[in-house]
């Protein structure tokens, strides 16, 4: 049958069969590390569930539904019509154009999709409408089950002001602060002065790090009030803000809770979420290295007290800040499935999506508190399409030209909603996947994460794997000495990638030289024979020059079989491998140690980009003669960036604060760009006069686009 004659439903079926095993795997050897979804035909739940979300979380929910024998409906925007979640589901319905306000937040369109498909229940995933009480009310009015808590709990816990008051009444430890709504910037300043700096300004209806700012003085409070209210209105349709004391250098530890409609509630241990940038989590683990059994139990019991206080029923997360003395304070409760739920599934063996579906149908919990284990250790790295060298991660867009998840490794789980050829756009969160590794111990889980990151192939977009690998191999992280300030403390001047030492530099140079020679030797052959029959016997000794950064290194390299011996910088490095130049992965043995490198690019002029120890390094390999001649080439004069302002990321212009002829001071705001619902203020690096402005509010700009010129 011709491909174009396949019906949409049949195409989705074929796609689902092909890709069902590629998503949301937990391949741990220990039986209880694999979360279990057991379909019990006698336990009737729903015939059809609509997933009101997209990407990896929609794929995650669909997987469990398939195991439970439940048909699924995906909703998608017009640009997501070929997205993985739309193809995995049994049915797919377009709910509008790309902007979230017109598609995934479009309640009318989603309600129409529910009626059209006859879905009996809706799983909201996280984000979008997952904590929207109006959506839950509309579902109830139509007799459709919302797979989550009831509207009372959503409203009570979704409003940070009300939730704090309820937490106090439930005898849950809370952070000192102002319990009302802050209406103006000047009122915010007065409240902040009364509380005492530093303070945290955050959206009452917020979450996911959006609408949050830390202020250390009056001016930062005014600026934080403006940006937080704008982000809150954009992300949640609610610009109300609250202010509370900022606990400096805390840990962010959360408790997973699970409750049914019969008054039963459990805490499923903790997740350590302290590694963050811009109040958004980057690396999580379960359990925490910091908690002892007494503190863990106290936090768990308070989390359950809070859940029972609002008659909570479903999976939810109670977040705490924990200081150095193990004092803990309630931060917020997320009334939904959390992004980092896979690590809890790995150490408890529970399928949280299955539990949510059972609870929504009215079944009692299957477990008691004493049944909940901590089996092993799980770590999650959030892989984003971001440039980690810019503020620890500014969004990147593009098409995944090559994409291979490291599922060939044991004890690795990848939750993703993309595939090779997928587009990462400005409209949605830039997450590529959640990479999870499991081990009997923390050291095992960390070692597997290191291998998984090295084996993860992502081409076409800039990604944050260099930062993730540096985090999990940093001595402070390995020792458990972390806080929410980990990134700015470890990298006070910003992230610069892996810093090579003498031995690792030699290894990189030797690997690049060996790869260059391998490519040169292959180019001399055709069908296994030398291209020129009269050519002399192959050379096995070369003198090369390798440029790395501003330095030039002279190498002598000798080949014997598949083994290269390289003399460089006063040391000797032995490099061997299969040398498959068509593969993106380059498994090598360097001085008897296995290393996984990736060749990101190479050309005929000796330019090679290698991913080594997570970081991309650009080198240039030249023959001795070519290196001598290259010294006569003119150098390109770098652009004077002090007189121009370019966009550091793709996004939408929210505000332009200057016009030609204006004089700006150093540090003065020039414009504001919104990317993935986060607003970023761009400032002048020097005092100067504005020569020209090349953008206006509402414009869509790409990374590197010229915005403003200064004289």
């Amino acid at each position: 049958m011709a491909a174009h004659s396949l019906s949409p439903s049949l195409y989705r079926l074929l796609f689902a069969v092909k890709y069902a095993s590629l998503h949301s795997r937990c391949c741990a050897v220990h039986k209880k590390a694999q979360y279990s979804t057991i379909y019990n035909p006698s336990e009737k739940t729903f015939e059809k569930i609509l997933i009101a979300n997209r990407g990896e979380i929609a794929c995650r929910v669909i997987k469990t539904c398939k195991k439970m024998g439940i048909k699924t409906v995906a909703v998608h925007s017009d640009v997501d019509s070929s997205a993985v979640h739309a193809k995995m589901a049994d049915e797919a319905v377009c709910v509008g154009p790309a902007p979230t306000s017109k598609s995934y937040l479009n309640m009318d369109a989603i309600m129409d999709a529910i009626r059209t498909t006859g879905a009996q229940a809706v799983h909201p995933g996280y984000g979008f409408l997952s904590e929207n009480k109006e959506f839950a009310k509309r579902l109830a009015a139509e007799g459709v089950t919302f797979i989550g808590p009831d509207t009372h709990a959503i409203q009570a816990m979704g409003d940070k002001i009300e939730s704090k008051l309820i937490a106090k009444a439930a005898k849950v430890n809370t952070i000192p602060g102002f319990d009302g709504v802050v209406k103006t910037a000047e009122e915010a300043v007065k409240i902040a002065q009364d509380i005492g700096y530093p303070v945290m300004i955050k959206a009452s209806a917020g979450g996911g790090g959006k609408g949050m700012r830390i202020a250390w003085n009056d001016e930062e409070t005014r600026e934080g009030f403006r940006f937080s209210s704008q982000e809150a209105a954009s992300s949640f349709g609610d610009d109300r803000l609250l202010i509370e004391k900022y606990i400096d250098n805390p840990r962010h530890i959360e408790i997973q809770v699970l409750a049914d409609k019969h008054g039963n509630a459990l805490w499923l241990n903790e997740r350590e979420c302290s590694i963050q940038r811009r109040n958004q989590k980057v690396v999580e683990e379960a359990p925490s290295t910091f908690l002892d059994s007494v503190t863990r139990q106290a936090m768990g019991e308070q989390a359950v007290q809070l859940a029972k206080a609002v008659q909570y029923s479903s999976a939810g997360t109670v977040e705490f800040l924990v200081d150095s003395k193990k004092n803990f304070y309630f931060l917020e409760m997320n009334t939904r499935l959390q992004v980092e739920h896979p690590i809890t599934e790995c150490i408890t063996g529970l399928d949280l999506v299955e539990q949510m579906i059972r609870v929504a149908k009215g079944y009692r919990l299957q477990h008691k508190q004493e049944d909940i284990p901590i089996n092993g250790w799980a770590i999650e790295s959030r892989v984003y399409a971001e440039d980690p060298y810019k503020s620890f991660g500014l969004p990147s867009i593009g098409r995944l030209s090559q994409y291979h998840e490291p599922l060939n490794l044991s004890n690795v789980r990848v939750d993703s909603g993309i595939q090779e050829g997928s587009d990462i756009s400005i409209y949605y969160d830039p997450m590529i996947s959640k990479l999870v590794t499991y081990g009997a111990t923390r050291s095992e889980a960390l070692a597997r994460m290191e291998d998984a990151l090295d084996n993860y192939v992502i081409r076409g977009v800039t990604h944050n794997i260099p930062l993730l690998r540096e985090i999990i191999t940093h001595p402070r992280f390995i020792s458990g000495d972390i806080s929410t300030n980990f990134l700015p403390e470890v990298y006070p001047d910003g992230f610069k990638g892996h810093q090579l030492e003498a031995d690792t530099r030699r290894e990189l140079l030797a690997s690049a030289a060996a790869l260059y020679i391998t490519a040169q030797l292959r180019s001399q052959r055709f069908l296994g024979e030398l291209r020129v029959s009269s050519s002399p016997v192959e050379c096995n000794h070369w003198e090369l020059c390798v440029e790395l950064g501003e330095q030039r290194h002279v190498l002598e390299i000798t080949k014997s079989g598949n083994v290269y011996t390289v003399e460089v910088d006063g040391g000797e490095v032995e490099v061997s491998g299969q040398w498959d130049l068509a593969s993106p992965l380059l498994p090598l043995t360097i001085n008897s140690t296995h290393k996984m490198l990736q060749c990101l690019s190479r050309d005929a002029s000796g330019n090679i980009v290698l991913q080594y120890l997570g970081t991309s390094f650009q080198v240039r390999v030249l023959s001795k003669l070519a290196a001598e001649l290259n010294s006569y080439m003119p150098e390109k004069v770098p652009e004077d960036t002090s007189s121009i302002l370019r966009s550091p990321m793709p996004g939408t212009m929210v505000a332009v604060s200057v016009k030609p002829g204006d004089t700006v001071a150093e540090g003065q705001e020039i414009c504001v760009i919104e990317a993935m619902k986060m607003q970023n203020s761009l400032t002048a690096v020097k005092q100067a006069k504005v020569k020209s402005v090349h953008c206006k509010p509402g414009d869509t700009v790409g990374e590197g686009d010229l915005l403003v010129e200064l004289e």
Side-chain angles (χ1 to χ4, degrees):
M1 182 183 291
H4 64 269
S5 64
L6 289 175
S7 68
S9 58
L10 180 56
Y11 184 73
R12 280 191 295 274
L13 175 62
L14 293 174
F15 182 91
V17 170
K18 182 178 179 181
Y19 289 101
S21 64
L22 295 183
H23 296 274
S24 199
R25 288 193 197 169
C26 183
C27 304
V29 173
H30 195 294
K31 182 178 178 182
K32 291 188 178 180
Q34 169 97 35
Y35 69 85
S36 58
T37 311
I38 301 174
Y39 173 48
N40 182 358
S42 64
E43 190 176 80
K44 301 296 183 184
T45 53
F46 304 100
E47 293 181 5
K48 186 183 290 186
I49 291 176
L50 181 143
I51 298 95
N53 217 298
R54 67 178 299 279
E56 62 85 13
I57 189 58
C59 296
R60 168 69 189 87
V61 175
I62 291 170
K63 182 180 179 185
T64 287
C65 287
K66 288 184 179 297
K67 288 184 176 181
M68 297 178 71
I70 301 170
K71 293 181 179 179
T72 55
V73 180
V75 295
H76 62 85
S77 65
D78 54 6
V79 298
D80 271 349
S81 59
S82 296
V84 173
H85 77 280
K87 295 176 181 177
M88 282 183 69
D90 298 296
E91 301 173 61
V93 179
C94 182
V95 290
T100 55
S101 60
K102 298 178 180 179
S103 52
Y104 296 104
L105 292 174
N106 186 344
M107 280 190 261
D108 290 338
I110 292 174
M111 294 304 298
D112 286 342
I114 293 167
R115 298 185 196 102
T116 302
T117 59
Q120 301 167 316
V122 172
H123 196 299
Y126 55 75
F128 294 136
L129 297 172
S130 63
E131 296 178 282
N132 189 305
K133 63 181 184 296
E134 296 304 322
F135 182 56
K137 286 179 180 177
R138 290 186 64 172
L139 292 176
E142 300 244 356
V144 178
T145 302
F146 179 75
I147 301 177
D150 61 24
T151 54
H152 165 70
I154 294 174
Q155 179 172 343
M157 293 294 100
D159 187 310
K160 288 183 171 58
I161 297 170
E162 185 178 351
S163 67
K164 190 172 179 180
L165 296 173
I166 293 172
K168 281 184 178 180
K171 301 189 184 308
V172 176
N173 304 343
T174 58
I175 301 171
F178 179 68
D179 295 332
V181 178
V182 184
K183 298 178 181 178
T184 67
E186 292 310 312
E187 183 184 3
V189 170
K190 184 178 183 304
I191 292 169
Q193 290 172 343
D194 292 341
I195 295 172
Y197 288 109
V199 297
M200 172 71 82
I201 304 167
K202 58 186 181 181
S204 176
K210 297 179 177 66
M212 298 178 69
R213 290 291 190 280
I214 300 168
W216 296 80
N217 53 51
D218 292 353
E219 187 56 38
E220 289 185 3
T221 300
R222 292 187 183 93
E223 185 180 84
F225 180 89
R226 177 164 69 97
F227 283 126
S228 292
S229 58
Q230 289 173 355
E231 285 180 6
S234 173
S235 298
F236 315 111
D238 183 346
D239 63 358
R240 293 176 304 144
L241 301 177
L242 63 96
I243 298 180
E244 60 190 17
K245 181 70 176 177
Y246 174 65
I247 298 177
D248 196 15
N249 216 40
R251 285 175 178 258
H252 185 139
I253 300 176
E254 61 191 26
I255 300 292
Q256 175 72 57
V257 296
L258 181 64
D260 62 23
K261 300 178 185 296
H262 305 279
N264 303 305
L266 305 172
W267 50 276
L268 308 181
N269 303 310
E270 79 278 5
R271 294 186 289 257
E272 172 72 72
C273 307
S274 297
I275 306 298
Q276 304 180 3
R277 50 98 178 96
R278 299 191 300 278
N279 299 306
Q280 291 181 310
K281 301 159 189 171
V282 180
V283 176
E284 303 101 345
E285 61 182 307
S288 169
T289 60
F290 189 63
L291 297 189
D292 52 55
S293 59
V294 174
T295 309
R296 176 179 295 116
Q297 182 173 344
M299 293 176 70
E301 289 175 350
Q302 286 199 17
V304 166
Q305 285 169 211
L306 181 60
K308 289 185 174 180
V310 292
Q311 299 178 324
Y312 195 86
S313 60
S314 192
T317 300
V318 181
E319 301 190 356
F320 294 94
L321 290 182
V322 185
D323 67 19
S324 59
K325 297 181 180 178
K326 298 185 181 177
N327 299 307
F328 57 90
Y329 305 93
F330 170 70
L331 184 62
E332 64 182 2
M333 183 176 189
N334 293 314
T335 57
R336 54 170 167 78
L337 189 64
Q338 199 83 328
V339 176
E340 56 273 17
H341 75 275
I343 54 178
T344 295
E345 292 181 328
C346 280
I347 67 167
T348 63
L350 296 177
D351 181 336
L352 294 181
V353 175
E354 178 196 20
Q355 297 302 316
M356 293 178 75
I357 294 172
R358 291 187 68 261
V359 167
K361 190 61 178 177
Y363 291 106
R364 293 178 179 272
L365 296 182
Q366 299 169 306
H367 307 280
K368 303 293 184 183
Q369 188 62 58
E370 56 269 22
D371 299 331
I372 305 303
I374 298 181
N375 284 319
W377 214 285
I379 298 171
E380 175 180 287
S381 292
R382 298 193 189 189
V383 182
Y384 282 104
E386 291 182 338
D387 186 345
Y389 300 98
K390 297 179 179 178
S391 301
F392 299 113
L394 292 184
S396 168
I397 61 173
R399 176 166 294 175
L400 291 167
S401 57
Q402 200 169 15
Y403 182 76
H404 302 295
E405 296 171 351
L407 291 170
N408 58 304
L409 305 177
S410 63
N411 301 337
V412 172
R413 166 178 170 175
V414 183
D415 282 18
S416 66
I418 47 89
Q419 60 181 342
E420 196 167 287
S422 292
D423 287 314
I424 307 295
S425 74
I426 64 172
Y427 298 108
Y428 311 117
D429 188 270
M431 180 183 286
I432 294 174
S433 72
K434 300 180 306 196
L435 177 62
V436 181
T437 57
Y438 172 85
T441 63
R442 186 171 185 261
S443 59
E444 282 185 22
L446 283 173
R448 286 175 178 138
M449 180 61 72
E450 191 175 334
D451 287 343
L453 290 169
D454 286 343
N455 281 269
Y456 207 148
V457 177
I458 304 172
R459 305 283 191 274
V461 297
T462 304
H463 54 76
N464 68 332
I465 283 180
L467 175 61
L468 295 173
R469 197 184 189 283
E470 286 299 294
I471 290 171
I472 64 142
T473 57
H474 195 279
R476 270 190 60 180
F477 184 84
I478 293 172
S479 68
D481 177 19
I482 61 176
S483 74
T484 55
N485 293 324
F486 177 87
L487 289 179
E489 288 176 357
V490 172
Y491 309 106
D493 299 321
F495 179 66
K496 307 295 184 185
H498 184 81
Q499 301 303 299
L500 294 171
E501 298 178 352
D503 57 342
T504 52
R505 182 181 296 104
R506 282 193 293 267
E507 289 181 2
L508 173 64
L509 295 171
S511 300
L515 178 62
Y516 172 82
I517 293 298
T518 300
Q520 292 292 308
L521 293 176
R522 190 183 72 164
S523 69
Q524 297 172 10
R525 291 181 170 273
F526 180 72
L527 298 179
E529 300 294 333
L530 289 173
R531 290 180 183 271
V532 181
S533 59
S534 60
S535 294
V537 178
E538 281 190 36
C539 178
N540 63 358
H541 182 83
W542 301 265
E543 289 186 359
L544 300 175
C545 179
V546 181
E547 297 174 354
L548 174 62
E550 300 296 323
Q551 295 182 327
R552 180 174 290 183
H553 305 263
V554 177
L555 293 76
E556 288 193 19
I557 181 167
T558 305
K559 182 176 184 293
S560 175
N562 283 330
V563 180
Y564 292 91
T565 303
V566 184
E567 294 182 17
V568 53
D569 293 349
E572 185 175 278
V573 181
E574 190 175 90
V575 184
S576 62
Q578 294 302 312
W579 305 107
D580 181 357
L581 300 183
S583 172
L585 295 174
L586 193 62
L588 299 178
T589 300
I590 304 176
N591 288 340
S592 302
T593 302
H594 175 74
K595 298 284 180 73
M596 180 61 74
L597 283 72
Q598 294 189 32
C599 180
L600 304 185
S601 67
R602 59 184 176 84
D603 61 28
S605 21
N607 293 303
I608 300 175
V609 180
L610 288 178
Q611 182 174 304
Y612 171 64
L613 301 177
T615 296
S616 298
F617 295 95
Q618 184 166 352
V619 301
R620 190 178 186 194
V621 185
L622 301 170
S623 66
K624 194 172 182 181
L625 174 61
E628 292 173 359
L629 296 175
N630 189 62
S631 62
Y632 296 101
M633 296 293 290
E635 293 186 7
K636 182 179 178 181
V637 179
E639 184 178 48
D640 180 12
T641 56
S642 66
S643 298
I644 59 172
L645 180 66
R646 294 188 181 276
S647 175
M649 74 202 87
T652 303
M653 300 302 303
V654 175
V656 179
S657 307
V658 298
K659 62 183 183 299
D662 287 355
T663 299
V664 294
E666 181 179 351
Q668 180 179 332
E669 179 180 289
I670 292 179
C671 58
V672 177
I673 296 179
E674 182 177 285
M676 279 74 171
K677 299 295 184 182
M678 298 291 286
Q679 294 194 1
N680 303 271
S681 175
L682 305 185
T683 60
V685 297
K686 66 178 182 180
Q687 181 174 335
K689 190 175 182 179
V690 177
K691 179 180 179 182
S692 58
V693 177
H694 300 273
C695 59
K696 61 183 183 299
D699 284 356
T700 298
V701 297
E703 182 180 354
D705 284 1
L706 180 62
L707 304 178
V708 175
E709 290 183 90
L710 304 176
E711 292 184 355

